[in-house]
Amino acid sequence: AVCKPVRDVKKGDQIVVGEKGVRVVPPERPREGIDVFQFMSSVSSSERPTLHIIRKVANDMQSIKANRGKIVVVAGPAVVHTGAADALAKLVRMGFIDGLLAGNALAVHDIEHALFGTSLGMQVQDGTLAIRGHRNHMKAVNEVFKAGSIEAMVKKGVLKQGIMYECVKNNIPFV
């Protein structure tokens, strides 16, 4: 059995399922020598240079829109945690985004950030703990319940910024 990312699974591959699983004993890795510092070797490593990736994505987005294509963003709460919520909101406002697919976590973190400047009680701007910030997450959820929906929060003037605000204001569908 081998471990592989879901994106690499092909039709016909045998997949281990169930609760028993397979016992895996990884091979011993050398701790000395030329391969000691492999922290940037993974395709998913956050330490990899990203400016060229960002430039490529921006160019692709411009090309797609120039050819009347549609762009749907799939995002999670990390967008808010990393301070990128304002950038994504701006992309929605500028007309680059045609749809948003996300779990409820993105919406809750975005609304918490829009209302209180925090994400899970941490100040997004500087990463410090907000005083009683741990309450902000549930306060954000309760504000949505109180208003009746995210759209109603925007219409009532409770939600005035953020990704979800821009989706509502710009008639961008979200799931």
Side-chain angles (χ1 to χ4, degrees), residues 93-175:
R93 185 170 51 253
M94 292 172 66
F96 278 96
I97 308 302
D98 299 294
L100 175 66
L101 301 175
N104 62 356
L106 174 68
V108 174
H109 289 269
D110 177 60
I111 292 168
E112 177 187 347
H113 177 243
L115 297 177
F116 309 109
T118 60
S119 180
L120 283 178
M122 299 284 291
Q123 294 289 352
V124 173
Q125 289 297 91
D126 61 13
T128 59
L129 282 172
I131 297 169
R132 289 186 272 296
H134 62 284
R135 297 177 180 182
N136 292 350
H137 198 71
M138 288 311 300
K139 285 164 110 177
V141 171
N142 288 332
E143 286 297 322
V144 177
F145 281 131
K146 193 178 350 175
S149 69
I150 295 170
E151 186 177 356
M153 285 182 78
V154 173
K155 287 182 179 175
K156 293 176 181 179
V158 176
L159 186 60
K160 301 175 186 172
Q161 63 183 357
I163 300 165
M164 303 314 296
Y165 169 85
E166 293 297 343
C167 285
V168 171
K169 289 303 267 187
N170 293 284
N171 291 320
I172 302 301
F174 57 88
V175 178

Side-chain angles (χ1 to χ4, degrees), residues 60-74:
D60 287 349
M61 290 176 75
Q62 287 178 325
S63 175
I64 289 166
K65 295 312 270 184
N67 291 306
R68 299 179 189 258
K70 304 273 186 196
I71 298 173
V72 176
V73 171
V74 179

